Amino acid sequence: MMRSKFDEQLDRLNKEMMKMGSAIEDSIRKAVDALVRQDAELAKKVMLQDEEIDREQKTIESICFNLLIQQQPVAKDLRTITAALKMVTDMERIGDQAADIGEITIKLANQPYIKKLEHINQMASETMLMLIRSIEAYVEKDMDKARKVIAYDDVVDDLFEKVRDDLIAMIQADSANGEQAADLLMVAKYFERIGDHATNIAEWVIFALDTKGGFDENASEHL
Amino acid sequence: MMRSKFDEQLDRLNKEMMKMGSAIEDSIRKAVDALVRQDAELAKKVMLQDEEIDREQKTIESICFNLLIQQQPVAKDLRTITAALKMVTDMERIGDQAADIGEITIKLANQPYIKKLEHINQMASETMLMLIRSIEAYVEKDMDKARKVIAYDDVVDDLFEKVRDDLIAMIQADSANGEQAADLLMVAKYFERIGDHATNIAEWVIFALDTKGGFDENASEHL
């Protein structure tokens, strides 16, 4: 493969990463809307979109494998390709979690919520922001932005604990709330996980951009 | 690639699938032991083993891609390879869930359990059995065994509901139980998920063995 062909492929990798990033953003946004509006049809769409995201992951992985196999990339490119390979795993998991939220939304669509979803809603906004920022950090090669995402994960973890404690109080107040409280706890857990994955993505961006130190030493910390 | 080389690769695929199957069985077994004995060291091992399982998945995927690219497989082999590609996704998720259980085990290792883990333990045994049977069904090409795994998923789902209701009752009795109850609910959810993945594996075994009908019609139901 000639160098120009290689650059072309790297370019394509970048575009596909942005495309997958937009798809999972869209997926979370729909999942939140469906949850809040109790819209089972929209929730089903989120579950279908997950399959699209899985296919997008395979596309990106095959671009990466081709780049790795057909040309021995230089250290900097090797870091980018490795980071992309790891990032899509986290991105794909986010798609799964959005689908999981969709599944619970469908289950709960025909019953009134036992509580206002304000903190869960806040978790949704915060994790979506983390995700958008982590993808931006990748595209803009902005290490500082990636660091801010990582620092932000605590906010989401604190919100999870708040939601959990609220739900525990709801169960205490009336055990009839139990089943729905357990479901909403799962929803909160999925958002917390989305925050974790956005943090991982940001860590991989830093790995890709970190030009100090050789590939091997830094890779072994992460892989 | 000559036919004998192709068969050799198919053989290797089979061996690696069995190896990955054993690894996830071992991982669940350790996760359960660690949880029951509150053994944080063993739980850490489960979390490390998950990385090994991820690597095994990549190995199997690359064998499958090579088989698909380097020779146009006949319909029967195409079904086997496609099924293997999908099965490893479920197997890898089981590894993740074992690691997730490990993480919660570490968190809870220094506090007495609020309840006996009998139903969770039962969930663990049942899901492990489902997994073992689904891998056996693949190795032994036993469609009947695969069907039994699928029928069994309801047992695990019922156990999950039992655990959930128990935990809700514990929270009702004393809100101080809340945080641990929420963690144990997650553990039960992970086992339920493992049962779902074993069911998926069994469905892929049936897909691989189903020689009636063309590849396309049946593939579209599943893919």
Side-chain angles (χ1 to χ4, degrees), chain A residues 92-93 96 171-172 175 178, chain B residues 92-93 96 168 171-172 175:
Chain A
E92 189 263 334
R93 293 295 151 92
D96 283 346
I171 296 174
Q172 266 264 310
S175 70
Chain B
E92 189 263 336
R93 293 294 151 92
D96 282 347
I168 288 170
I171 296 174
Q172 266 265 310
S175 70

Side-chain angles (χ1 to χ4, degrees), chain A residues 62-73:
Chain A
S62 71
I63 297 174
C64 290
F65 287 133
N66 277 329
L67 281 166
L68 290 173
I69 288 167
Q70 297 180 21
Q71 172 148 345
Q72 296 290 331

Side-chain angles (χ1 to χ4, degrees), chain A residues 14-31:
Chain A
N14 232 14
K15 286 208 184 80
E16 296 289 341
M17 290 292 282
M18 285 166 65
K19 187 176 151 196
M20 187 171 176
S22 305
I24 56 173
E25 271 172 47
D26 184 60
S27 192
I28 303 176
R29 201 182 308 268
K30 284 203 184 97

Side-chain angles (χ1 to χ4, degrees), chain B residues 46 76 80 90 196 209:
Chain B
V46 175
K76 184 176 140 284
T80 305
D90 286 295
D196 289 344
L209 296 178

Side-chain angles (χ1 to χ4, degrees), chain B residues 140-185:
Chain B
E140 298 162 7
K141 300 185 187 300
D142 185 338
M143 208 184 249
D144 198 49
K145 199 173 258 189
R147 288 212 185 87
K148 279 186 190 143
V149 171
I150 294 167
Y152 214 75
D153 197 33
D154 287 342
V155 177
V156 174
D157 289 349
D158 289 347
L159 277 170
F160 172 73
E161 287 176 18
K162 202 169 277 178
V163 173
R164 184 196 61 202
D165 294 345
D166 278 0
L167 290 170
I168 288 170
M170 298 291 300
I171 296 174
Q172 266 265 310
D174 184 354
S175 70
N177 292 328
E179 193 179 331
Q180 191 187 111
D183 287 327
L184 291 175
L185 183 66

Side-chain angles (χ1 to χ4, degrees), chain B residues 48-63:
Chain B
L48 283 174
Q49 196 167 12
D50 185 35
E51 292 171 23
E52 228 173 89
I53 291 170
D54 288 356
R55 279 193 294 275
E56 183 63 28
Q57 181 192 20
K58 297 289 173 204
T59 303
I60 292 174
E61 284 177 346
S62 71
I63 297 173

Side-chain angles (χ1 to χ4, degrees), chain B residues 112-131:
Chain B
Y113 284 132
I114 54 174
K115 72 190 286 287
K116 271 187 140 180
L117 302 184
E118 44 180 337
H119 288 130
I120 288 184
N121 231 324
Q122 208 181 331
M123 282 186 89
S125 314
E126 303 292 4
T127 52
M128 179 120 71
L129 201 64
M130 284 175 75
L131 175 66

